[in-house]
Amino acid sequence: MRRELAGYFATPVAYVFIVIFLLLVNALTFFMGHFFERGQADLASFFQFHAWVYMLLIPAISMRMWAEERKSGTIELLMTLPLSLMQVVLGKYLAAVVFAAIALALTFPIWITVNYLGEPDNGVILAGYLGSLLMSAGFLAVGTFVSALTKNQVIAFVLTAAVCFVLIASGAPIVLSFFSDWAPREVVDFIASLSFLAHFSAISKGVLDIRDVVYFVSLIGVFLFANAVAVERLKAE
Amino acid sequence: MINALLNRKGGWIAGIAIAIAVFVALNVGLSGVTGLRVDLTQDRLFTLSDGTEKILQRIEEPVSLDLYISQRLVEEVALYGLYATRVRDMVNEFAAVSDGMVTVTEHDPAPFSETEDTAVSAGVQGVPIDTGGERVYFGLVARAGDRVETVPFFQPTREAFLEYDLARLIEGLTRQRKPVIGIVTDLPMFGGFDPRSQEQRWMLIDGIEESFEVRNIFDIEADLNEEIDVLFMAHATRLKDEQLYAIDQFLMRGGRALLMVDPYSEIAALNTLSGRPIARDSTLNRLLEKWGVSIEEKMVVSDITLARMVNAGTAENIRPAPYLLWPSFRADNINADDAVTRDITTVNMGTPGSIAVADDAAVKVETLLETTERSQLFDSEMINPREPNILEFIEKFQADDKKYTTAVRISGEVDSAFPDGKPKPEPEPEAATPDEGQPGDAASDEAKPDEANPDGAAPAETATPATPPAEPEAAEGEPERPHVARSQQPLNIVLIADADMLETRFWATEQEFFGQRVLEPFANNGDLVINALENLTGSGDLITLRSRGTAQRPFTRVEALRIAANEQYRAREQALATRLQETQQKFDEAQQKASAESQGGAAAPVLTAEQKTALETELETLRTDLLAIRKELRDVQLKLREDIEALDTTLRFANIVLVPALVGVFAIILGIARIRRRAAANA
């Protein structure tokens, strides 16, 4: 994992990613979220864009995780290491999560800003950061799985972004109305409950509910498992 | 094991299917689980208090809540958007805790839709959002069986009491009957006792009757029973030991009470002529002292900062002066955290007393109203009841540098003030000596209210007959109740050291409106009484609810900047505005002159050519002046915002540019270092 993490910072990609992430999130907060004009000492206008920024940027981190190894053939080398399959999958994944966490942590000036401007509820802000991290971890799990399916990084990027979009939008009224005409209520409710946004906004209000946490953790588990299966299939081929 | 499964043909499909099945089962299974969570908010905004939970768990009949929130309001007014989320969360929390007894449906009443009609007919208030006449809604309709309660419009200013308001609404909805208020008073609240007198029933009683059943209690010993939810004592004077004992036992059995004890009743003082004298002072110290609370007898509070302005001269020669004994409590002197005083902005009192609490008091006492430090106690003997000696009090005033409390909430468990049980009855009233030796109006001592009350003067809704033969009834019908030595439930009492504040003239003007009496309140005395009664009739769980934190957290620094900038520029702005007005006026005059001249009407003064040019130049200079002043004014207004905008720009820069730039610089330095190292290694 450490090797993977060091790998991120060895290339300019990591810095480009972090710079773009910070620029995008903060610019959206101030210009589209009207952070200052709202006059409220909270980070609602900051967190509201995270899902969308992640949808755009997370696939960029995750696309190369397996696709590159497959293309360059280093995957065979990786498999010869004295590590179990799960260890390799987890190692790669955790490195990506830590990287995303570092990027997220670098948004700390907005936290200082809001504490300078007023007296925010720092418990809510902490919850927001936790939720955001869980959400990025969820997207990364999706991305690393998709990356294991293809040799082509571009395909991995586009596919991941598409799946992330579905996961974000599944709670949106447009999607729900598509199902609500024919599917039973329970199914519609379940589809709605798949939405990253719904779970994230519940957490970012300041409440860490077991349902929201389990949702993210179990989603990550499923995708990592699928990831391991996909890699295993590669080996079999 | 996993590997074995996966290596089998088609095993990986099964593996993934199982993983997805586990995922679905886990999430669907957990979807009904509520309450397993950590509330990270500072004020525990998402955790209902125990009181609310108990109220919700007691519900026996399903309650449906219809929340009407106009999306347009939420989107266009940020303040309401934030509050709507808060209300929605709170209502859903109620539903989650109630084990399915409370259901919530949210509606967005579009203009001219059926939903809008339903909302309006249920009493939800529409508020125009633009000049187009479109109305927006932000209210709640609660239904249980055929009972309906409505919150017409959620006001963000009441956010701290949102939980209390909703819990109260639900509790009221699930209650089967109106709570009963038993009023014991010597004041002519129910109208004059003398049929010839013109005294009308006090408007306050009408207000109370809107939400409660009111009983005028004449015979404390017989009528103060379990049916009474709240005992309201408003200046009940000369209470005999047996009566005090009945009150004590009522309170020991868990009764709640609003006690108004007045060391100097102005009404009584004025009333001596009207044939039914009332004792000037009332006291319950015999009971209160046992708990560690007392109201100093015959001493009244004065306060020079809170004093109301009155006319100290005559009708012809008006001389405004502060009447120190008439404090008007506002903002800082009203406890904003208690549900009773929450929305109260002004309370006017007349010669109130001061409530003292002993250090070793057995009860918990919370201040509701208190004076400033510029206050002093006066002996009520100093008051001239015929002609208020307003100026004399100002002359003699010397601040004690001490705050006096005039209203409190008392709670806790106490021992009976009558440890030996029921006191022996006193000798027959005819032979009784005035127990506290009140000088002057001793005649009133024996005037038992029920004897003085003629048939028909009693209010129609009073359940007790106007002149009940109470004594025999009590003897026959009810066996003696066992003595209660210690409170069976904690006390819940609001104690106010003034009763004059009930009188309409202290808080409202009465108007005749097509034969109807209409009140125009100028103080919240009536609200205070009704709030107290509402709060006390609620269950103990409701009473324990206090104000909560708010989700509104403004940028305090920006506010401070705004205020500072305002102070700095306001004076200049005002001066400029005045100058602008003056110049405008001059300009208009000059222009009028000029236009009159040009019309050349007969009435217009004929000007010489020189005068005409002079006028024109004057007009021209004025016009330039006007423009200059306007510009200056705009500049000043601009400056008002400048500091705030500068702060905004700095923060934008720091957040959007600074950190990414630092990261970039760091990356570049690192990159250069790496290239050098590599070059060094190659060399």
Side-chain angles (χ1 to χ4, degrees):
Chain A
M1 182 194 130
R2 194 172 293 164
R3 184 192 72 97
E4 279 285 329
L5 188 61
Y8 283 111
F9 289 99
T11 59
V13 178
Y15 301 102
V16 171
F17 174 86
I18 290 178
V19 168
I20 299 284
F21 172 76
L22 294 178
L23 277 176
L24 213 54
V25 162
N26 285 318
L28 284 172
T29 305
F30 277 91
F31 292 107
M32 276 187 76
H34 302 289
F35 169 76
F36 200 80
E37 292 80 355
R38 270 178 85 239
Q40 283 294 325
D42 60 34
L43 289 185
S45 53
F46 168 68
F47 286 119
Q48 81 184 87
F49 296 106
H50 280 205
W52 303 101
V53 173
Y54 285 144
M55 186 193 98
L56 207 68
L57 292 181
I58 292 280
I61 311 182
S62 66
M63 65 182 187
R64 40 189 288 281
M65 286 172 76
W66 292 97
E68 199 179 50
E69 305 253 14
R70 275 179 70 177
K71 201 176 169 201
S72 59
T74 46
I75 192 159
E76 269 109 57
L77 183 73
L78 197 64
M79 288 305 148
T80 57
L81 290 174
L83 290 168
S84 80
L85 176 65
M86 258 316 176
Q87 274 175 318
V88 177
V89 169
L90 266 181
K92 268 185 171 295
Y93 173 71
L94 285 180
V97 171
V98 170
F99 175 68
I102 290 172
L104 185 62
L106 282 172
T107 61
F108 69 91
I110 192 87
W111 174 70
I112 295 174
T113 303
V114 82
N115 273 285
Y116 168 79
L117 283 174
E119 288 160 10
D121 188 335
N122 283 316
V124 177
I125 293 177
L126 175 70
Y129 271 107
L130 282 176
S132 180
L133 186 63
L134 275 174
M135 187 162 64
S136 70
F139 284 138
L140 276 173
V142 174
T144 157
F145 163 69
V146 173
S147 169
L149 295 179
T150 172
K151 272 184 198 169
N152 189 323
Q153 291 194 23
V154 177
I155 293 179
F157 179 91
V158 174
L159 259 183
T160 309
V163 175
C164 289
F165 177 74
V166 169
L167 281 174
I168 293 173
S170 74
I174 303 173
V175 181
L176 292 182
S177 66
F178 173 71
F179 288 99
S180 59
D181 293 339
W182 52 273
R185 209 185 122 83
E186 287 76 21
V187 174
V188 178
D189 281 352
F190 179 73
I191 291 167
S193 80
L194 282 183
S195 167
F196 265 43
L197 270 189
H199 289 283
F200 170 62
S201 69
I203 294 177
S204 63
K205 274 177 193 161
V207 187
L208 214 54
D209 194 300
I210 189 159
R211 286 171 292 180
D212 301 317
V213 177
V214 164
Y215 166 76
F216 282 117
V217 173
S218 62
L219 182 113
I220 291 166
V222 167
F223 275 102
L224 286 186
F225 177 74
N227 185 2
V229 171
V231 175
E232 185 69 23
R233 295 282 305 154
L234 286 179
K235 222 163 59 173
E237 277 165 21
Chain B
M1 192 199 88
I2 293 172
N3 283 343
L5 176 76
L6 295 181
N7 288 333
R8 206 175 301 160
K9 200 165 182 273
W12 65 276
I13 299 178
I16 294 211
I18 290 170
I20 291 176
V22 169
F23 171 76
V24 172
L26 198 63
N27 283 287
V28 171
L30 271 177
S31 67
V33 178
T34 51
L36 278 177
R37 59 196 201 167
V38 191
D39 187 346
L40 291 172
T41 56
Q42 204 172 23
D43 302 310
R44 301 284 163 270
L45 291 180
F46 293 90
T47 312
L48 296 184
S49 24
D50 291 347
T52 311
E53 286 190 12
K54 278 187 200 145
I55 290 170
L56 289 168
Q57 277 153 7
R58 269 204 307 267
I59 301 178
E60 284 166 0
E61 195 179 2
V63 175
S64 69
L65 300 178
D66 288 280
L67 196 55
Y68 293 93
I69 302 180
S70 293
Q71 210 47 42
R72 214 179 139 198
L73 177 73
V74 170
E75 281 161 10
E76 290 182 15
V77 192
L79 176 72
Y80 285 101
L82 209 64
Y83 191 46
T85 317
R86 179 96 181 84
V87 170
R88 190 184 292 129
D89 289 339
M90 177 72 83
V91 170
N92 285 327
E93 205 48 47
F94 270 54
V97 171
S98 69
D99 294 327
M101 293 306 278
V102 175
T103 46
V104 182
T105 328
E106 196 181 322
H107 312 268
D108 176 8
F112 311 111
S113 65
E114 214 169 292
T115 328
E116 186 181 20
D117 291 345
T118 329
V120 172
S121 65
V124 176
Q125 192 189 348
V127 175
I129 194 168
D130 53 22
T131 47
E134 189 181 327
R135 285 168 180 274
V136 287
Y137 298 85
F138 183 17
L140 176 93
V141 180
R143 288 190 181 83
D146 52 357
R147 290 181 302 279
V148 182
E149 291 255 9
T150 314
V151 178
F153 201 90
F154 285 105
Q155 295 292 351
T157 46
R158 292 166 73 107
E159 179 170 2
F161 291 97
L162 178 64
E163 185 181 2
Y164 174 85
D165 284 346
L166 289 174
R168 212 193 93 66
L169 179 119
I170 288 188
E171 202 186 53
L173 200 62
T174 48
R175 196 160 39 203
Q176 302 293 334
R177 61 175 181 97
K178 270 190 183 180
V180 182
I181 310 290
I183 302 185
V184 182
T185 182
D186 282 5
L187 302 175
M189 291 171 86
F190 291 90
F193 288 94
D194 182 346
R196 286 161 302 176
S197 84
Q198 293 296 305
E199 278 179 280
Q200 280 181 303
R201 215 160 94 111
W202 290 6
M203 291 295 277
L204 184 69
I205 299 288
D206 293 337
I208 296 174
E209 273 184 352
E210 279 175 21
S211 346
F212 307 100
E213 188 188 323
V214 174
R215 288 190 197 166
N216 190 359
I217 295 185
F218 299 110
D219 186 336
I220 297 174
E221 286 172 74
D223 296 338
L224 191 57
N225 51 30
E226 277 79 13
E227 281 173 32
I228 308 288
D229 291 297
V230 174
L231 166 65
F232 179 8
M233 297 193 65
H235 194 59
T237 61
R238 303 295 141 67
L239 294 166
K240 291 199 289 285
D241 273 359
E242 303 99 277
Q243 293 172 316
L244 282 171
Y245 176 73
I247 295 165
D248 174 85
Q249 289 296 296
F250 175 79
L251 296 175
M252 288 305 118
R253 287 193 298 268
R256 289 85 180 271
L258 168 60
L259 305 178
M260 297 181 102
V261 176
D262 203 337
Y264 182 88
S265 166
E266 300 202 1
I267 309 161
L270 291 170
N271 223 46
T272 43
L273 290 177
S274 76
R276 188 182 164 271
I278 314 165
R280 257 183 221 153
D281 64 331
S282 54
T283 175
L284 283 171
N285 280 351
R286 170 87 205 258
L287 298 183
L288 302 179
E289 273 169 357
K290 180 80 186 172
W291 313 335
V293 180
S294 61
I295 294 176
E296 203 168 336
E297 287 174 39
K298 302 200 180 83
M299 293 300 271
V300 290
V301 170
S302 66
D303 188 306
I304 202 155
T305 358
L306 302 179
R308 276 170 74 194
M309 294 301 283
V310 294
N311 179 12
T314 56
E316 295 81 42
N317 182 18
I318 294 172
R319 185 172 168 197
Y323 188 20
L324 303 191
L325 303 184
W326 277 13
S328 178
F329 295 85
R330 280 168 204 280
D332 289 346
N333 305 90
I334 301 177
N335 179 354
D337 289 331
D338 197 285
V340 171
T341 32
R342 52 175 182 168
D343 302 324
I344 305 292
T345 46
T346 314
V347 178
N348 290 341
M349 285 189 164
T351 60
S354 130
I355 301 172
V357 184
D359 291 335
D360 58 345
V363 286
K364 197 176 148 216
V365 180
E366 264 177 84
T367 301
L368 297 178
L369 299 173
E370 68 179 359
T371 63
T372 65
E373 278 169 357
R374 305 195 57 205
S375 56
Q376 184 196 350
L377 286 184
F378 279 110
D379 193 323
S380 67
E381 294 291 327
M382 264 183 70
I383 306 169
N384 176 359
R386 308 270 166 252
E387 206 181 311
N389 37 346
I390 296 155
L391 300 174
E392 196 185 333
F393 286 105
I394 302 176
E395 275 166 35
K396 294 195 174 151
F397 181 78
Q398 249 182 335
D400 288 349
D401 295 331
K402 197 176 143 193
K403 290 179 178 177
Y404 291 100
T405 306
T406 58
V408 293
R409 175 199 282 282
I410 299 174
S411 53
E413 289 181 20
V414 288
D415 290 327
S416 164
F418 295 84
D420 305 327
K422 192 172 177 171
K424 291 210 173 67
E426 281 172 37
E428 280 303 294
E430 281 77 20
T433 49
D435 33 14
E436 274 140 37
Q438 187 67 26
D441 37 23
S444 70
D445 279 10
E446 285 76 42
K448 268 180 86 178
D450 49 349
E451 288 164 6
N453 180 33
D455 292 0
E461 278 169 61
T462 304
T464 27
T467 49
E471 297 301 327
E473 196 181 68
E476 286 164 26
E478 285 178 58
E480 196 101 317
R481 265 188 289 248
H483 173 74
V484 185
R486 190 172 168 78
S487 12
Q488 292 169 337
Q489 278 176 42
L491 287 179
N492 268 308
I493 288 170
V494 173
L495 174 66
I496 300 177
D498 184 40
D500 296 307
M501 59 169 286
L502 295 171
E503 214 192 342
T504 316
R505 68 182 171 117
F506 275 92
W507 57 281
T509 45
E510 239 174 87
Q511 306 272 341
E512 283 280 334
F513 186 74
F514 295 107
Q516 269 197 317
R517 284 197 290 168
V518 181
L519 267 194
E520 279 175 27
F522 51 83
N524 304 107
N525 296 16
D527 302 330
L528 177 70
V529 170
I530 290 179
N531 274 359
L533 292 175
E534 278 187 343
N535 186 264
L536 291 168
T537 48
S539 62
D541 298 323
L542 196 64
I543 294 169
T544 58
L545 292 185
R546 291 288 184 272
S547 68
R548 297 289 296 269
T550 146
Q552 308 277 350
R553 287 163 182 269
F555 285 164
T556 42
R557 191 166 297 261
V558 176
E559 285 305 307
L561 268 179
R562 192 166 287 145
I563 291 167
N566 258 332
E567 268 170 18
Q568 207 175 334
Y569 298 115
R570 201 180 36 213
R572 175 127 187 77
E573 192 179 352
Q574 258 166 6
L576 278 175
T578 325
R579 240 180 77 200
L580 181 69
Q581 214 174 3
E582 282 167 5
T583 319
Q584 182 83 51
Q585 210 172 346
K586 267 193 214 153
F587 180 76
D588 288 348
E589 276 167 19
Q591 204 162 33
Q592 252 170 21
K593 244 197 243 170
S595 73
E597 168 64 19
S598 69
Q599 277 171 8
V606 181
L607 297 177
T608 61
E610 272 163 43
Q611 277 173 319
K612 224 167 162 180
T613 16
L615 188 64
E616 266 161 22
T617 20
E618 195 193 335
L619 212 58
E620 194 51 47
T621 35
L622 278 176
R623 190 177 289 140
T624 345
D625 274 5
L626 212 57
L627 288 176
I629 295 169
R630 279 213 189 112
K631 188 180 174 311
E632 220 174 318
L633 196 59
R634 266 201 307 276
D635 287 345
V636 167
Q637 278 161 349
L638 204 69
K639 276 218 171 63
L640 266 175
R641 305 204 43 219
E642 230 164 40
D643 292 346
I644 296 168
E645 270 164 16
L647 179 68
D648 183 17
T649 315
T650 319
L651 292 177
R652 269 171 209 251
F653 174 78
N655 276 287
I656 304 174
V657 183
L658 198 61
V659 178
L662 286 177
V663 172
V665 169
F666 177 73
I668 290 168
I669 292 172
L670 209 69
I672 292 171
R674 199 169 285 156
I675 291 168
R676 282 215 180 130
R677 216 181 313 140
R678 212 169 289 159
N682 287 345

